[in-house]
Amino acid sequence: MAILVLGGAGYIGSHTVYELIERGEDVIIVDNLETGHIEAVHEKAKFYKGDIRDRAFIDSVFEKEEVEAVIHFAANSLVGESMINPLKYYDNNLCGTKVLLESMVAHHIDKIVFSSTAATYGEPKSIPILETDATDPTNTYGETKLSMEKMFKWTSKAHDLRYVSLRYFNACGAHKSGVIGEAHAPETHLIPLILQVPNGQREAISIFGEDYETKDGTCVRDYIHVTDLAQAHILAVDYLRKGNESNIFNLGNGVGFTVKEVIDVAREVTGHPIPAKAEPRRAGDPAKLIASSEKAKEVLGWNPEYTSLEEIISSAWRWHQNHPNGFKQA
Ligand code: UDP
């Protein structure tokens, strides 16, 4: 029996596939390659190019393959873009998941681990954020992920299907092999954008808002290494394999860093002065997001390995230095 990874050519998906294969699992990848990269597909995984909104396609994968569980990363995930083009997010994230669930139910596939986000919480009432806290997203991306969680919840009540939703905080870093890493086009995430400066691709890093109620006025985020996120997905599959009930877990380091602190650590790691310039706030950005991941540690036995920002940025720097154009040749 295999694990089907939807979006397995993307950033977090490809890192999860690498960990699954290292562990000896059979892996099948489905990706439409809209934002994923064929170069990120592990050679030992079986690959199908296609879109989860295409019912005939997803049905054909379940018919050809013996799928034990699904890990679902196939979604759009940019906060800024989701505010400019909200219906793209409803179409891909919600319509895609609806078709997927119809097909899973029809083929009696009863386990799914799903990538959700800290953006489901919106502006938090208290820090660190617990899974039981209120959810009130401040952007379309978070809203669609929350709606996806609810789609799983109600489907699991009506059908023989259990799910684990993993609410990630800020995914970053790159695989230890240096073979895969973060490669978005256009890039919008803080750490890869900062590293474009020492890589000679950008003059300065923009700081979006210096007037937040935080210690230095810049936004605070909880940065978590992509390999630690990957491990949590595998633990979540094991959790469902043991027959446990559907559940939701936060995944973060439990420590917050301001944008300015992240830039300072990147200056240390790269030895480059990395000039920064203040810009207005970005729409939809909450001031402070820090996870409590105690539940994932207790229930899943999750134990993040890359706990320092230096290690995380060093792994990202190794990848970006060797792959300044992502997976494309220079
Ligand atoms: N950010 C910034 N400059 C940039 C990109 C991001 O100041 O060029 C800030 C952004 O406003 C947020 C934090 O860095 O407070 C992390 O943003 P990112 O897009 O990496 O992740 P998000 O928190 O949106 O998931």
Side-chain angles (χ1 to χ4, degrees):
M1 297 282 274
I3 301 200
L4 174 63
V5 182
L6 306 173
Y11 175 42
I12 307 171
S14 62
H15 284 76
T16 302
V17 169
Y18 269 61
E19 297 307 311
L20 284 165
I21 285 176
E22 197 172 313
R23 202 209 209 208
E25 302 277 1
D26 277 340
V27 180
I28 298 157
I29 295 174
V30 159
D31 201 299
N32 64 6
L33 298 181
E34 186 190 302
T35 54
H37 305 274
I38 191 70
E39 299 86 346
V41 170
H42 197 292
E43 58 182 19
K44 290 193 179 148
K46 191 161 181 186
F47 176 65
Y48 290 90
K49 183 174 184 292
D51 196 302
I52 59 165
R53 286 165 288 193
D54 178 349
R55 175 74 194 262
F57 163 72
I58 199 74
D59 278 350
S60 74
V61 174
F62 286 131
E63 273 147 34
K64 275 186 245 161
E65 304 290 346
E66 292 262 326
V67 174
E68 181 195 2
V70 175
I71 307 184
H72 178 23
F73 298 97
N76 292 113
S77 62
L78 301 177
V79 169
E81 182 189 53
S82 80
M83 300 299 280
I84 294 163
N85 196 354
L87 297 177
K88 172 177 175 178
Y89 280 68
Y90 276 87
D91 180 39
N92 193 19
N93 297 4
L94 279 175
C95 298
T97 301
K98 173 199 159 256
V99 174
L100 167 68
L101 282 172
E102 283 170 345
S103 184
M104 283 181 69
V105 168
H107 293 90
H108 309 288
I109 315 284
D110 64 355
K111 295 184 263 311
I112 182 162
V113 174
F114 149 73
S115 55
S116 186
T117 169
T120 53
Y121 294 107
E123 194 71 62
K125 306 271 179 300
S126 59
I127 296 285
I129 302 170
L130 295 165
E131 291 83 351
T132 46
D133 287 355
T135 46
D136 187 12
T138 55
N139 53 61
T140 317
Y141 164 61
E143 188 71 47
T144 58
K145 286 280 175 166
L146 186 59
S147 302
M148 284 161 79
E149 286 191 358
K150 293 191 173 159
M151 210 188 286
F152 285 114
K153 177 178 127 184
W154 295 111
T155 306
S156 73
K157 287 187 192 297
H159 300 281
D160 182 19
L161 181 137
R162 287 169 299 123
Y163 68 94
V164 167
S165 172
L166 299 174
R167 291 179 177 163
Y168 321 146
F169 284 62
N170 287 60
C172 47
H175 194 257
K176 59 179 186 249
S177 65
V179 175
I180 51 169
E182 193 166 5
H184 299 113
E187 188 52 76
T188 66
H189 292 106
L190 181 64
I191 292 176
L193 285 175
I194 292 174
L195 295 176
Q196 286 180 357
V197 182
N199 244 355
Q201 296 161 303
R202 174 177 296 272
E203 293 281 304
I205 182 70
S206 300
I207 298 177
F208 296 148
E210 290 191 313
D211 57 348
Y212 286 97
E213 279 192 28
T214 59
K215 62 179 170 185
D216 62 19
T218 66
C219 284
V220 171
R221 293 287 180 275
D222 180 334
Y223 295 90
I224 179 77
H225 197 278
V226 63
T227 298
D228 286 326
L229 291 180
Q231 292 297 352
H233 289 78
I234 298 174
L235 293 169
V237 170
D238 286 345
Y239 168 91
L240 292 174
R241 276 174 171 157
K242 286 180 204 145
N244 290 302
E245 62 185 17
S246 297
N247 219 329
I248 297 177
F249 300 96
N250 286 341
L251 299 177
N253 255 321
V255 184
F257 292 95
T258 66
V259 172
K260 285 185 176 170
E261 286 172 332
V262 176
I263 298 170
D264 279 340
V265 174
R267 286 176 178 139
E268 275 166 40
V269 166
T270 62
H272 189 283
I274 311 184
K277 56 174 197 282
E279 302 268 359
R281 289 182 178 200
R282 188 174 67 176
D285 268 346
K288 205 169 177 183
L289 294 172
I290 304 174
S292 164
S293 302
E294 292 313 307
K295 185 177 168 190
K297 289 179 183 164
E298 265 167 45
V299 179
L300 297 178
W302 186 54
N303 189 16
E305 213 182 303
Y306 297 84
T307 47
S308 84
L309 196 54
E310 284 79 6
E311 280 178 286
I312 291 173
I313 295 183
S314 298
S315 76
W317 180 225
R318 197 175 330 117
W319 159 256
H320 288 291
Q321 251 185 322
N322 293 327
H323 301 84
N325 301 303
F327 289 98
K328 291 191 192 69
Q329 302 295 327

